[in-house]
Amino acid sequence: MTRRIMAVDRIALAVAALMVALAVVGPLLAPHDPYAVDLADALQGPSAAHWFGTDVNGRDVLSRILYGAQVTLPATVIVIAAATLIGTLVGTVAALGGKALDEVLMRITDIGLSLPSIILALGLAAALGSGLRSAVVALALTWWPGYARLVRTLVREVKDAEYVDAARTLGVSRARLVFRHILPNALNSLYVQTTLDVSAVMLVISGLSFVGVGAQVPSAEWGAMIAAAANNLTNGWWAVAFPGLAIMLTAVAFNLVGDWLRVRNDPTIREGVR
């Protein structure tokens, strides 16, 4: 059982690493121009010339997927980085700023958590104007409450630890106490959550592009590719299936990597797996 789990973890790590690598060097590997329209080759099935076929405009689907990795994955990373920064700031201030400030910030956080992120992001993205940049900004502004709640809990657990009390007794400044002793130890578990969130954020970004408020056609973003090919599903299934497969593989891989990190980080779970 343990060997089987380890094999799955290795595969997930390999797939996640491959997708990250494609986001860096994908365009160099693309066999065709992803934006070159050739109506004579429209909706050609998978072949030696076009491994993943062509879309309704004759563009090579494989090349567009490789280019799309440089759109979808960086957008996902930007959302998570921004949401983590905002959430860490709010959570830390709430945990260390006194009861009144804690109550105000946590009530705001609870309001954000009570509303579905995708609905909020959809409304904000529509208000900001269609486009991938608007979708990224909207999603970052709606994703931070979960991190704020998590960071507040972690900081509250660490701030009363013995080594923190010892540093406080020695006269360490408040800023040094927070940034040198509390945050580094409190946030050790945060990277697990950010890894788990890669799949969720990527699915939402692709979903926003699919409904028309994210990346716009003819962008090679994976969700926009599916939206552009949805009307030709019966006679061009490959133009939908392969971008969808790229999204699915990436999401599942990062989710499994996050689970693996969580198991490694929690001794009680690790013992249960054994």
Side-chain angles (χ1 to χ4, degrees):
M1 178 68 174
T2 303
R3 289 181 180 176
R4 197 172 296 172
I5 293 173
M6 289 176 63
V8 172
D9 290 339
R10 290 194 185 101
I11 293 172
L13 282 167
V15 173
L18 174 62
M19 292 304 178
V20 172
L22 289 180
V24 177
V25 301
L28 299 177
L29 305 176
H32 300 278
D33 182 347
Y35 296 105
V37 174
D38 185 358
L39 296 180
D41 277 339
L43 295 178
Q44 296 294 315
S47 64
H50 301 282
W51 288 5
F52 288 1
T54 62
D55 64 11
V56 69
N57 292 305
R59 296 171 299 204
D60 184 65
V61 173
L62 173 58
S63 299
R64 288 176 63 75
I65 289 175
L66 292 173
Y67 267 78
Q70 277 199 338
V71 179
T72 304
L73 290 179
T76 300
V77 171
I78 291 171
V79 168
I80 291 177
T84 302
L85 181 63
I86 297 171
T88 299
L89 178 62
V90 173
T92 302
V93 172
L96 303 175
K99 186 174 180 180
L101 189 56
D102 182 31
E103 284 292 325
V104 172
L105 291 177
M106 285 302 100
R107 294 300 75 77
I108 295 173
T109 300
D110 289 340
I111 292 172
L113 289 172
S114 67
L115 300 172
S117 295
I118 190 168
I119 302 300
L120 283 175
L122 185 62
L124 279 173
L128 292 172
S130 298
L132 184 60
R133 182 178 299 178
S134 297
V136 167
V137 172
L139 199 50
L141 292 176
T142 57
W143 207 267
W144 65 265
Y147 290 119
R149 176 64 71 178
L150 175 61
V151 169
R152 173 183 175 270
T153 301
L154 294 172
V155 171
R156 285 170 67 93
E157 289 176 356
V158 171
K159 72 174 184 176
D160 295 323
E162 291 183 3
Y163 63 88
V164 176
D165 286 337
R168 191 180 291 116
T169 302
L170 291 172
V172 173
S173 67
R174 185 176 180 83
R176 184 178 176 82
L177 195 66
V178 171
F179 292 105
R180 184 68 181 271
H181 298 282
I182 295 178
L183 281 181
N185 292 285
L187 302 184
N188 278 338
S189 301
L190 190 61
Y191 67 89
V192 177
Q193 186 60 47
T194 58
T195 306
L196 287 168
D197 277 351
V198 168
S199 57
V201 171
M202 187 181 64
L203 289 171
V204 175
I205 287 176
S206 298
L208 291 175
S209 297
F210 180 79
V211 299
V213 297
Q216 301 295 297
V217 176
S219 172
E221 198 278 328
W222 294 340
M225 288 176 64
I226 295 174
N231 292 331
N232 303 100
L233 185 59
T234 54
N235 58 340
W237 58 266
W238 49 86
V240 174
F242 288 117
L245 186 62
I247 293 172
M248 185 194 75
L249 286 176
T250 308
V252 171
F254 275 98
N255 208 50
L256 289 174
V257 170
D259 281 337
W260 173 71
L261 290 172
R262 184 166 56 88
V263 170
R264 286 179 62 87
N265 230 34
D266 191 328
T268 59
I269 300 177
R270 188 163 61 245
E271 288 299 322
V273 172
R274 288 178 183 174

